[in-house]
Structures are given as C-alpha cells and as structure tokens.
Amino acid sequence: MSATAVEQKKLLINNEWRASSSGKMMEVVNPATEEIIAEVAAADTADVDAAVKAARAALDGPWGKMSARERGRLVRKLADRLLERADEIARLETLHNGKPISESRHIEIPAAAECFEYYAGWADKVMGETIPVRGNYLTYTLREPIGVVAAIVPWNFPLLLAAWKVAPALACGNTVILKPASQTPLTALALGEIAIEVGLPPGVLNVVTGPGSKVGQAIVEHPGIDKVAFTGDTSTGKSIMRSAADTLKKITLELGGKSPNIVLADADLEAAIRGATIGIFYGKGEVCAAGSRLLVDRAIKSEFIDKLAARARKMVPGDPLDPKTRFGAISSKKQLETVLKYIEAGRKEGASLVAGGERADIGTGKGYFVQPTVFADVQPEMTIAREEIFGPVLAAIDFADLDEAIAKANDSPYGLAAGVWTRDIKKAHYVARKLQAGTVWINTYNVYDTAAPFGGYKQSGFGREMSAHALEHYTQIKSVWVDLNM
Ligand code: NAD
C-alpha cells in the first residue's frame, strides 16, 4: 500500500478536526502485515496549547454548568454508541495492535463500553458530606472536578485503557486531553468521533496524537493541565513524576509488572495449567498484569511444565483478523525485537527453553509474530525473571515450600498483580495477604471488572483505576464553613 493511498487523520481539538501546527504526520503500521494503514497528525507544543485552551474554556462553558445527571446521560451515550460501532472499532483495534479480532470484539470493546456505562451511573452520586465540627458552624464538603485532565495511554489495550481514564474523568465533570500511543492512535480518534456524535460540548474531549517524547512531555509540563493519568512503562512513569513536579500536577501512574503466578502442589493442576497459559499468553503477553513469573512447587514441577509446554506449543500465531485466531501479532517491530532479545538472554543465562523461542511466520512472510515461549529452571537473578518483557515469554521458577514461594514472589521491584493456585482455603488467603500486589487472583487469573479497583504496589505505580476508588483521583475536596452564630 503506498503512503498516498492511506487515510489521513487529524487532531480533535474543540470538536474540530485540525491538522497539526507543524503539518507533520506519523505512519500507523499494521503489525500483522507490516503495511501502513493510516497517517495521523503529529502534534507539537502549539497543538497541546490549543487543546488546553479548548478544555479550559469548556470547564467555564456549558460543560461546567451542566447538571451531573445530564453529564451522566452523555457519558452513557458514549457507551451506547461504542457498542453500536463495536464491529468497526474492534477491527481498528486489531489492525493497529495485532490482537485477535475475537479479543477486540468480544472482550476489549465491550469492556470499554461497560466502563463508560459504569461511570455514567456515578456522575450524580459523587457527593460531599456535612461535618459535625466544634463551634456553631455548618461545615460541609464539595467534591469538585480537578479541571483539565490529560490521559496518556500505551498501545496494548488502546481503547480500554483510555476508557479507564476518560470515563471517570468526564463523569466527575473534568475535561480531557487524550494522548494515545503513537503505534495505536486509531481507536482514540474513533472515540473522538463518537464524542461529537453523542453531543459532548466542544473542548470536553480532545484527542492529541503524536510522539510521547514531544507531545507527552509537553502535556506533562503544561501549566494549564491539572492532572495527568498515565499508563505505561515504569521508566516513563518516573520521568513523568519528575517533570510534573515543576507544576505540582496531580498524577496517577499505572506502570509495569512482573507478576508471580504461584502453583502449590495441592492445586487442581489442569485448572492451574489453563490459568498459567491464559496468565501469560492472553493478549500476546502484552498485558501489564501478565503472570510472567510462574512459581511452581518442586514436587509437581516436571509434570506441570511438560503439560504447560505442550499447551504452549499448540498455540499457533495466526491472522489477527481471522475470528478463529487466538494468538496474534506482536504490536510493533520494536516490541518484537525486545521480545527476541529477552529470549536470547534466557538462553544465554542458562534457562531451559521448553516451548517456542523463535520468530513465527503465519505463511505470509510478513508480520511481527513470535512463538509462545516457556523457559523452565529459571533462577530469580536471571534477566528474564527480573525485567518486564511485555511479550509471550514465561519464566518458570521452582520453590520448596510456602515461605520460599512468597519470598520469591515478592522479590521484585514491581507489585501489580499475582496469582495463587491451591485447594487449601486457609493457604489461599494467607498467601493473598502476604503478596505485595495490587490485585491477587485465587484459582483464576487475568479477570477484571469495572467495579473492582486495579493498580500497583511498589514500582507498579500508585492510584487505582476502575471502581469507586478511581473517583477520588478525578475530584478534589473543598471544605466550606458557614458561621451560624446569631
Ligand atoms: P510507554 O511508557 O513507552 O508509553 C506510554 C505512553 O506514554 C504513550 O502514549 C507514549 O507516547 C507516552 N510517553 C512516552 N514518553 C513520554 C514522556 N516522556 N512524557 C509523557 N508521555 C510519554 O509505554 P508503552 O511501551 O506504550 O506501554 C507498555 C508499558 O505499559 C508496559 O511497561 C506495561 O506494563 C505498561 N502498562 C501498564 C498497565 C497498568 O495498568 N499498570 C497497563 C498497560 C500497560
């Protein structure tokens, strides 16, 4: 496909589609075919300025004056319209990310719509309190929007992770500047179209595409932005925290992980094998909570690893647009190279490769595919046990007893999620309490719901997404004192 034939996409600012001020464009590549599928505007500082102006004007305009219930109705319409356009938007998600269409259509897009539906219901239920203070005063609190919120999201669940931020931000009365990852901007732009279709006033949702180092950085430094909700790499999160210090912006950070999935000897082994497989290979392992460290009891290790490896070998990468495909393309050439580099490190450092380990070809000679990969006999100090790979590579580590399992599980700078498989209810809850992670799954893995909070311990970040807890990050509290003395 030639560059001139591809669709060109502009920035959404103040409900208008605008070219970037520099006129520069970025190519969007389909990772399954290596074709350029679109060109999107590459924004710069002047465009961020324009988006901030529009977002601020909307706070002082109709959006700021709208009743909470009416705001909730509009957020609900975003959910409904997303579902009406689900086929088309799922296809876009698959085209720019490489994930199987079955995942986009039946998991991610419905989950994004559900997130808007959930927070639409909250819009008119965010309340203050009256406080019995000392003296003759009426003292009450107002929960007010923070103001202009920037949502900066990565490429692995482009629309869903945007929804986790945009939905609570809008429900609480903020305005939003959404910055998708450079690799996957198309569904964020589709959300912008939907915002116009359902009648969000100008400036309430702006979508600014462009490289993180430029647009993301300009957002984080901008004095007119009150809060940054970020999901992405831990090193980017650290840099955002440093840059946000100058304007003392509020920030929430959802960062990387190296999540342990612990299998005790008394577990239902068939269920645990399925869970370990879904834990690492769902979403091609490009999942922040992926169960990338399998901790398995030495007593059952060889049977468990043999069966798991056999299962991994049966997962063959395929065309992401084929409804039967369950394992798609790695999201970009750069990410494929990262994954292959880690596989090489696993080999060099002496782990036993028991499944996969190679780049894959789906018969087209094109695309960034890799085999689902399992390493056994991994030692905790090896690179593949310590660093987030963000790909379909499982590092299996064994342990002798429960204390060793917990110690090894917690031996990581990350703390996003964890799993434990056992039939012993006391052990299950004991382990859940001991694990340093924001989410613990018992006899299951990789389940999520908008009503349940999600976020990190340790260097996996801070703040919680989804659930009522996220509302705290999109509102600020004002105390009002009224003198009642006569
Ligand atoms: P990334 O940090 O490179 O990019 C994320 C976003 O930040 C992109 O939009 C990017 O353009 C932007 N960005 C890059 N540099 C920036 C800067 N200096 N200032 C502001 N913005 C900047 O991450 P990625 O490679 O796109 O995503 C993968 C990472 O995201 C993994 O580490 C993964 O674990 C993490 N992740 C975490 C969660 C979670 O909820 N904890 C969910 C999904 C992904």
PDB file of all heavy atoms in Angstrom, residues 4 19 28 37 40 51 69 87 98 142 168 219 261-262 304 377:
ATOM      1  N   THR A   4       0.449   7.432  -0.066  1.00  0.00           N
ATOM      2  CA  THR A   4      -0.555   8.402  -0.504  1.00  0.00           C
ATOM      3  C   THR A   4      -1.972   7.824  -0.456  1.00  0.00           C
ATOM      4  O   THR A   4      -2.935   8.569  -0.386  1.00  0.00           O
ATOM      5  CB  THR A   4      -0.264   8.877  -1.945  1.00  0.00           C
ATOM      6  OG1 THR A   4      -0.037   7.724  -2.734  1.00  0.00           O
ATOM      7  CG2 THR A   4       0.906   9.828  -1.992  1.00  0.00           C
ATOM      8  N   ALA A  19      -5.369  19.924  11.439  1.00  0.00           N
ATOM      9  CA  ALA A  19      -4.013  19.451  11.125  1.00  0.00           C
ATOM     10  C   ALA A  19      -3.090  19.902  12.255  1.00  0.00           C
ATOM     11  O   ALA A  19      -3.401  20.867  12.971  1.00  0.00           O
ATOM     12  CB  ALA A  19      -3.554  20.062   9.812  1.00  0.00           C
ATOM     13  N   VAL A  28       0.992   4.844  10.772  1.00  0.00           N
ATOM     14  CA  VAL A  28       0.492   3.777  11.642  1.00  0.00           C
ATOM     15  C   VAL A  28       0.611   2.472  10.862  1.00  0.00           C
ATOM     16  O   VAL A  28       0.157   2.379   9.721  1.00  0.00           O
ATOM     17  CB  VAL A  28      -0.983   4.022  12.041  1.00  0.00           C
ATOM     18  CG1 VAL A  28      -1.486   2.924  12.966  1.00  0.00           C
ATOM     19  CG2 VAL A  28      -1.132   5.393  12.697  1.00  0.00           C
ATOM     20  N   ILE A  37      -1.248   1.645   7.481  1.00  0.00           N
ATOM     21  CA  ILE A  37      -2.714   1.635   7.368  1.00  0.00           C
ATOM     22  C   ILE A  37      -3.318   3.029   7.541  1.00  0.00           C
ATOM     23  O   ILE A  37      -4.475   3.236   7.231  1.00  0.00           O
ATOM     24  CB  ILE A  37      -3.353   0.662   8.380  1.00  0.00           C
ATOM     25  CG1 ILE A  37      -2.778   0.878   9.787  1.00  0.00           C
ATOM     26  CG2 ILE A  37      -3.201  -0.768   7.911  1.00  0.00           C
ATOM     27  CD1 ILE A  37      -3.484   0.090  10.860  1.00  0.00           C
ATOM     28  N   VAL A  40      -1.398   9.753  10.861  1.00  0.00           N
ATOM     29  CA  VAL A  40      -2.092  10.636  11.810  1.00  0.00           C
ATOM     30  C   VAL A  40      -1.223  11.864  12.064  1.00  0.00           C
ATOM     31  O   VAL A  40       0.009  11.814  11.954  1.00  0.00           O
ATOM     32  CB  VAL A  40      -2.414   9.929  13.153  1.00  0.00           C
ATOM     33  CG1 VAL A  40      -3.315   8.729  12.943  1.00  0.00           C
ATOM     34  CG2 VAL A  40      -1.159   9.550  13.897  1.00  0.00           C
ATOM     35  N   ALA A  51      -5.288  22.635  22.677  1.00  0.00           N
ATOM     36  CA  ALA A  51      -6.178  21.668  23.346  1.00  0.00           C
ATOM     37  C   ALA A  51      -6.449  22.107  24.786  1.00  0.00           C
ATOM     38  O   ALA A  51      -7.579  21.986  25.281  1.00  0.00           O
ATOM     39  CB  ALA A  51      -5.545  20.276  23.313  1.00  0.00           C
ATOM     40  N   ARG A  69     -26.472  14.894  36.413  1.00  0.00           N
ATOM     41  CA  ARG A  69     -27.277  13.837  35.781  1.00  0.00           C
ATOM     42  C   ARG A  69     -27.196  13.922  34.269  1.00  0.00           C
ATOM     43  O   ARG A  69     -27.059  12.913  33.576  1.00  0.00           O
ATOM     44  CB  ARG A  69     -28.722  13.948  36.255  1.00  0.00           C
ATOM     45  CG  ARG A  69     -29.572  12.801  35.776  1.00  0.00           C
ATOM     46  CD  ARG A  69     -30.753  12.547  36.673  1.00  0.00           C
ATOM     47  NE  ARG A  69     -30.363  12.363  38.053  1.00  0.00           N
ATOM     48  CZ  ARG A  69     -31.169  12.572  39.102  1.00  0.00           C
ATOM     49  NH1 ARG A  69     -32.407  12.968  38.906  1.00  0.00           N
ATOM     50  NH2 ARG A  69     -30.746  12.372  40.322  1.00  0.00           N
ATOM     51  N   ASP A  87     -18.227  -3.369  15.897  1.00  0.00           N
ATOM     52  CA  ASP A  87     -17.559  -4.183  14.861  1.00  0.00           C
ATOM     53  C   ASP A  87     -16.418  -3.407  14.220  1.00  0.00           C
ATOM     54  O   ASP A  87     -15.297  -3.885  14.079  1.00  0.00           O
ATOM     55  CB  ASP A  87     -18.562  -4.589  13.768  1.00  0.00           C
ATOM     56  CG  ASP A  87     -19.506  -5.681  14.263  1.00  0.00           C
ATOM     57  OD1 ASP A  87     -19.144  -6.375  15.227  1.00  0.00           O
ATOM     58  OD2 ASP A  87     -20.608  -5.799  13.693  1.00  0.00           O
ATOM     59  N   GLY A  98      -2.645  -5.653  16.435  1.00  0.00           N
ATOM     60  CA  GLY A  98      -2.272  -7.036  16.125  1.00  0.00           C
ATOM     61  C   GLY A  98      -2.966  -8.076  16.984  1.00  0.00           C
ATOM     62  O   GLY A  98      -2.719  -9.271  16.846  1.00  0.00           O
ATOM     63  N   LEU A 142     -17.537  19.951  49.319  1.00  0.00           N
ATOM     64  CA  LEU A 142     -17.942  19.813  47.922  1.00  0.00           C
ATOM     65  C   LEU A 142     -16.901  18.930  47.250  1.00  0.00           C
ATOM     66  O   LEU A 142     -15.695  19.097  47.492  1.00  0.00           O
ATOM     67  CB  LEU A 142     -17.946  21.176  47.234  1.00  0.00           C
ATOM     68  CG  LEU A 142     -18.947  22.211  47.750  1.00  0.00           C
ATOM     69  CD1 LEU A 142     -18.644  23.566  47.117  1.00  0.00           C
ATOM     70  CD2 LEU A 142     -20.364  21.763  47.425  1.00  0.00           C
ATOM     71  N   PRO A 168     -14.200   8.012  34.099  1.00  0.00           N
ATOM     72  CA  PRO A 168     -14.359   8.649  35.408  1.00  0.00           C
ATOM     73  C   PRO A 168     -14.070  10.150  35.364  1.00  0.00           C
ATOM     74  O   PRO A 168     -14.702  10.929  36.080  1.00  0.00           O
ATOM     75  CB  PRO A 168     -13.355   7.913  36.315  1.00  0.00           C
ATOM     76  CG  PRO A 168     -12.384   7.256  35.398  1.00  0.00           C
ATOM     77  CD  PRO A 168     -13.129   6.987  34.128  1.00  0.00           C
ATOM     78  N   ILE A 219       2.591  17.856  27.425  1.00  0.00           N
ATOM     79  CA  ILE A 219       1.403  17.726  28.288  1.00  0.00           C
ATOM     80  C   ILE A 219       1.831  17.749  29.760  1.00  0.00           C
ATOM     81  O   ILE A 219       1.262  18.467  30.585  1.00  0.00           O
ATOM     82  CB  ILE A 219       0.649  16.413  27.960  1.00  0.00           C
ATOM     83  CG1 ILE A 219      -0.121  16.573  26.642  1.00  0.00           C
ATOM     84  CG2 ILE A 219      -0.274  15.992  29.095  1.00  0.00           C
ATOM     85  CD1 ILE A 219      -0.771  15.300  26.130  1.00  0.00           C
ATOM     86  N   ASN A 261       2.773 -15.976  39.473  1.00  0.00           N
ATOM     87  CA  ASN A 261       1.595 -16.846  39.468  1.00  0.00           C
ATOM     88  C   ASN A 261       2.052 -18.135  40.161  1.00  0.00           C
ATOM     89  O   ASN A 261       2.856 -18.890  39.619  1.00  0.00           O
ATOM     90  CB  ASN A 261       1.173 -17.089  38.011  1.00  0.00           C
ATOM     91  CG  ASN A 261      -0.238 -17.609  37.896  1.00  0.00           C
ATOM     92  OD1 ASN A 261      -0.948 -17.779  38.903  1.00  0.00           O
ATOM     93  ND2 ASN A 261      -0.671 -17.891  36.674  1.00  0.00           N
ATOM     94  N   ILE A 262       1.566 -18.345  41.401  1.00  0.00           N
ATOM     95  CA  ILE A 262       2.119 -19.407  42.258  1.00  0.00           C
ATOM     96  C   ILE A 262       1.234 -20.652  42.196  1.00  0.00           C
ATOM     97  O   ILE A 262       0.029 -20.574  42.437  1.00  0.00           O
ATOM     98  CB  ILE A 262       2.171 -18.934  43.732  1.00  0.00           C
ATOM     99  CG1 ILE A 262       2.947 -17.621  43.843  1.00  0.00           C
ATOM    100  CG2 ILE A 262       2.738 -19.998  44.632  1.00  0.00           C
ATOM    101  CD1 ILE A 262       2.907 -17.004  45.251  1.00  0.00           C
ATOM    102  N   PHE A 304       3.983 -30.548  35.617  1.00  0.00           N
ATOM    103  CA  PHE A 304       3.320 -29.273  35.312  1.00  0.00           C
ATOM    104  C   PHE A 304       3.944 -28.609  34.084  1.00  0.00           C
ATOM    105  O   PHE A 304       3.249 -28.190  33.158  1.00  0.00           O
ATOM    106  CB  PHE A 304       3.407 -28.346  36.532  1.00  0.00           C
ATOM    107  CG  PHE A 304       2.464 -27.185  36.458  1.00  0.00           C
ATOM    108  CD1 PHE A 304       1.172 -27.292  36.940  1.00  0.00           C
ATOM    109  CD2 PHE A 304       2.850 -25.980  35.880  1.00  0.00           C
ATOM    110  CE1 PHE A 304       0.281 -26.227  36.857  1.00  0.00           C
ATOM    111  CE2 PHE A 304       1.974 -24.912  35.790  1.00  0.00           C
ATOM    112  CZ  PHE A 304       0.685 -25.034  36.286  1.00  0.00           C
ATOM    113  N   ASP A 377      13.463 -23.928  34.775  1.00  0.00           N
ATOM    114  CA  ASP A 377      14.737 -23.835  35.521  1.00  0.00           C
ATOM    115  C   ASP A 377      15.284 -22.410  35.535  1.00  0.00           C
ATOM    116  O   ASP A 377      16.498 -22.184  35.429  1.00  0.00           O
ATOM    117  CB  ASP A 377      15.800 -24.783  34.912  1.00  0.00           C
ATOM    118  CG  ASP A 377      15.290 -26.204  34.810  1.00  0.00           C
ATOM    119  OD1 ASP A 377      14.688 -26.677  35.795  1.00  0.00           O
ATOM    120  OD2 ASP A 377      15.461 -26.828  33.738  1.00  0.00           O
TER     121      ASP A 377
END
